[in-house]
Every structure is written in structure tokens, then in C-alpha cells.
Amino acid sequence: LTGMQVLGVPGADIVRFQFSPGSLTPARPPVGSLDVATPPFTEGASGRPIELDGDQALQVVFRGMSLQNDVGQETFSGERQSRWADPSRSLRHAIVFDESEGQMGWYIGYDGPACVTLTREGDDVLVAITFGPGR
């Protein structure tokens, strides 16, 4: 995982997780999961509480990844937390809750009813939060 980008398009917020080509020495193929997240929201091993903005919450976890490239540099250099307050959007908060031992987990908070889909576009994984009329 090299980056995370948020795109607002009419009727949807899209969280794009950007991936680079695989490591020269992969341990195993990486996998990911998308689930509903329920409180209490906590940081990985520390268990410290996380205040997540939004009425609804998702948990996205990528496992089996290299968190460093083949020369020892961190692969993800982006923001570990972002917040949005635009009333015309649903997305409110995205925050890393775990980044250890080949795993990176994110909580995504959003408001209102929505349909959530997961797709791939090349090496990237997209989480689309499609919201209804009135947003």
C-alpha cells in the first residue's frame, strides 16, 4: 500500500487505496477485507480508543503486505488520518488503526444511509460509498 486518496463524484465518495507492484520477495499474496465496524474503535495492539467521526463505520484491512520496500523504506508515506466536514458529502473520517506485521487496517466513518461497494482498478482497491438523494 503506497497511498490513500479520496475522490468526490456526484452521488458518491470514493476511497482509493493505491498499491505499487509487488515486492521482489513476497512472503505470500496479500489479501483484503471490508466489514462493518462497531464501537469501541481502538488502535491495534495498544487498545487506545479512537474517536471516529460519522454515524456509520467500515473497517478495511489489508494483510500479507510488505510495509517496507526492498531497500527498507516505508511503502506508505501518506496521511494516517483525514477528516471531512462538507455537508454535501457522506464521508467524514478515515484513520489507520493498525499498521504492523504486514497488516494495515483503516476505519472509515460516514453519515447517512449508503450502499458500499468494493472494486479494483488496476493495482488499486476502491471503496465507493454511494449515498442517496439529499446529500
Side-chain angles (χ1 to χ4, degrees):
L1 181 64
T2 57
M4 187 272 290
Q5 177 185 30
V6 173
L7 309 167
V9 298
D13 292 319
I14 298 171
V15 181
R16 176 187 294 268
F17 294 99
Q18 300 162 307
F19 289 84
S20 67
S23 170
L24 297 175
T25 56
R28 61 187 177 273
V31 296
S33 62
L34 171 66
D35 295 296
V36 172
T38 56
F41 305 112
T42 58
E43 289 183 15
S46 76
R48 284 181 278 194
I50 291 175
E51 295 288 330
L52 185 68
D53 300 341
D55 298 331
Q56 313 291 331
L58 301 171
Q59 176 177 299
V60 179
V61 179
F62 301 104
R63 294 176 178 85
M65 299 187 316
S66 297
L67 298 179
Q68 297 179 343
N69 64 18
D70 292 322
V71 295
Q73 301 164 325
E74 282 188 7
T75 57
F76 184 82
S77 60
E79 294 294 321
R80 268 50 179 186
Q81 176 171 225
S82 296
R83 286 188 160 99
W84 301 272
D86 182 345
S88 69
R89 315 298 322 161
S90 286
L91 191 61
R92 296 290 167 249
H93 198 180
I95 184 169
V96 171
F97 70 87
D98 190 16
E99 188 175 6
S100 63
E101 299 182 18
Q103 175 171 295
M104 192 163 201
W106 292 78
Y107 288 132
I108 299 172
Y110 64 96
D111 286 342
C115 178
V116 178
T117 57
L118 182 69
T119 58
R120 278 189 83 148
E121 191 174 280
D123 288 330
D124 297 349
V125 173
L126 285 71
V127 177
I129 302 167
T130 306
F131 44 88
R135 280 250 187 254

